[in-house]
Amino acid sequence: MHTMNTTNRLASLLALTAALAGCGGAADKTSTPAPSPTPAPAPAPVPTAPVSVGFVQPTSNVLEPNVSESLSVNVLVNGSQAPNGTVATFTVNPTSAAALAPVAPTTVGGVANSTLTVSSLPPTATFQVAATTTSSANTATDSLTYYVRPAHKPLQVLVPAYFSATGTTSPWVTLTSGATSYPDVKITAIANPSSGVLTADTKEDTDLTKAIKAFQAVSGTSNRVIGYVATTSISSGALSVADIKATITNYIRLYPGLFDGFFLDGMATDSSRVAHFQEVYTHVKGLTTGLTTGATPPAAPIVIGNPGTYPVAAYAGVADTLVTYAGNAAAYANIDPQPGNTWVYAKDNSAQAMLVHTASTCTDMQTAVKNANRPRMNTGVVYATNLAIGAPWSALPTYWQQMLGTVDALNKQRTLPLC
């Protein structure tokens, strides 16, 4: 009995072990593999600014006293057009410089509008206008600096008449006929006998005398003629004040009563020669005989200086008009008095002139003249020619009549003549 019971218990244990082993093997074959490590999260995108504001109008930041100017700002929220009714607040600094109406307009189509009215400010005054808008996330501001210039005066034409006066086909004849066609356009012609150096031995050019008289006699005009004066020499460099004064004296001796003033070519641009030209300017302004200005009593003779680019501001005090650009038409498109030469806004636009060559077509000429007439350029005395570097002033441009017509149309705010 004892042996049998032991045998039976052993058999039962072996059977149970086998059964358990079988169950364990089945479980291994159907088990789920262990999960892979969790990847690192992707970096969050950089969010766009919740709100932004930027001026889209005005087109110029040069204004005149007592004028009104439209202002517009574009407002974005989360990079998209702001909802209608978003407030943009405008401010002026200093507050006395101008008035705004409304001060806090709301957007329509993402744009908020106001009107700026300038106070009676002196020339060269500056002020700032800011626009601010706020969302629940942040505040954004944009600002403009304004410059105030004197009231705009009509455009004038300055002609480098460095051509012969001999014969019926002389450009002086064409110059005079143009003045007859456009009597409302003020023309100043620069006569250039003897290349601007007149000595005691220099003789009168009688053809030039006749041409000047014919030009000045055009009825209904205020045309002027000034004498070309060289202030430098290729051989000796800068001419002395005494040499310049001698040339001016000889102009008066040879052409008494014909000239309204003088054109000082080669004017310097740095401060080292300001005193030099101040002495010349004072001398010309002190002349009381031998010149004519077409007025009764005669006004002071005029001085036009030609540095050919923007000089230091002090030169504005030693000439009535400065040629602040002399060069080709293509380069003139990129000229800008801001930010380095904003002193030009202290003067009338008639205190700045441009002489542009290589304006190959009538359209190029009109582009250059319109550019000069912009408030930002503040240039009121103009000339353009299709002739190129080398001899750009040796004749009148082929579009002489159209240029006078363009100036006349701009002055009268009419449609420009067709080219």
Side-chain angles (χ1 to χ4, degrees):
M1 292 293 294
H2 178 73
T3 301
M4 184 179 292
N5 290 339
T6 301
T7 301
N8 289 340
R9 286 195 296 271
L10 181 59
S12 299
L13 290 170
L14 291 172
L16 178 60
T17 300
L20 291 172
C23 290
D28 287 342
K29 291 177 182 179
T30 59
S31 63
T32 302
S36 302
T38 303
V46 177
T48 59
V51 63
S52 64
V53 61
F55 279 96
V56 292
Q57 196 174 335
T59 56
S60 174
N61 66 338
V62 180
L63 300 177
E64 298 170 16
N66 304 312
V67 303
S68 295
E69 176 83 4
S70 296
L71 299 178
S72 297
V73 290
N74 191 37
V75 183
L76 301 177
V77 175
N78 287 324
S80 299
Q81 176 180 298
N84 288 351
T86 302
V87 176
T89 302
F90 289 84
T91 56
V92 176
N93 182 29
T95 56
S96 60
L100 290 160
V103 172
T106 56
T107 58
V108 175
V111 177
N113 300 299
S114 184
T115 299
L116 175 79
T117 302
V118 183
S119 302
S120 299
L121 297 176
T124 71
T126 63
F127 62 93
Q128 287 73 42
V129 174
T132 302
T133 189
T134 302
S135 73
S136 58
N138 76 330
T139 296
T141 298
D142 192 20
S143 63
L144 291 173
T145 296
Y146 279 94
Y147 300 91
V148 180
R149 69 168 183 167
H152 174 79
K153 291 185 176 179
L155 287 174
Q156 305 174 32
V157 175
L158 177 66
V159 181
Y162 304 169
F163 30 74
S164 170
T166 302
T168 58
T169 60
S170 163
W172 276 94
V173 176
T174 306
L175 174 68
T176 301
S177 66
T180 304
S181 299
Y182 292 94
D184 293 338
V185 176
K186 187 172 185 177
I187 304 171
T188 299
I190 310 167
N192 185 18
S194 304
S195 298
V197 178
L198 280 64
T199 68
D201 296 328
T202 303
K203 304 299 181 183
E204 176 196 3
D205 182 339
T206 56
D207 289 328
L208 179 61
T209 297
K210 293 176 184 178
I212 292 173
K213 289 181 176 180
F215 175 68
Q216 291 176 329
V218 176
S219 177
T221 68
S222 55
N223 297 329
R224 303 179 299 188
V225 179
I226 59 178
Y228 177 94
V229 176
T231 67
T232 62
S233 167
I234 295 176
S235 60
S236 59
L239 297 178
S240 68
V241 171
D243 289 335
I244 295 170
K245 287 181 179 180
T247 287
I248 291 170
T249 297
N250 286 309
Y251 263 113
I252 295 171
R253 174 179 63 83
L254 295 170
Y255 305 96
L258 290 188
F259 286 91
D260 297 278
F262 299 97
F263 180 83
L264 306 180
D265 196 21
M267 181 174 275
T269 59
D270 61 19
S271 57
S272 65
R273 297 192 69 204
V274 171
H276 178 90
F277 286 98
Q278 178 67 67
E279 187 174 350
V280 175
Y281 179 75
T282 301
H283 173 73
V284 173
K285 289 297 185 180
L287 296 172
T288 57
T289 59
L291 296 172
T292 178
T293 60
T296 304
I302 61 170
V303 176
I304 298 180
N306 181 26
T309 188
Y310 294 108
V312 297
Y315 281 94
V318 298
D320 301 301
T321 300
L322 290 172
V323 178
T324 52
Y325 182 81
N328 69 68
Y332 187 59
N334 299 316
I335 297 300
D336 192 347
Q338 297 183 32
N341 297 287
T342 56
W343 56 265
V344 300
Y345 304 131
K347 294 283 189 175
D348 291 338
N349 60 333
S350 59
Q352 268 200 102
M354 63 78 149
L355 300 174
V356 166
H357 60 70
T358 324
S360 302
T361 67
C362 173
T363 301
D364 293 336
M365 171 273 294
Q366 289 185 335
T367 298
V369 171
K370 288 189 293 183
N371 184 27
N373 194 46
R374 291 188 301 132
R376 189 179 183 105
M377 296 300 290
N378 197 40
T379 300
V381 186
V382 301
Y383 184 78
T385 180
N386 57 293
L387 300 180
I389 191 68
W393 324 124
S394 59
L396 288 170
T398 55
Y399 42 66
W400 168 240
Q401 289 282 345
Q402 289 100 321
M403 181 167 65
L404 293 178
T406 296
V407 170
D408 192 50
L410 288 170
N411 286 343
K412 297 174 179 176
Q413 299 183 347
R414 297 176 179 173
T415 302
L416 300 189
L418 296 176
C419 285

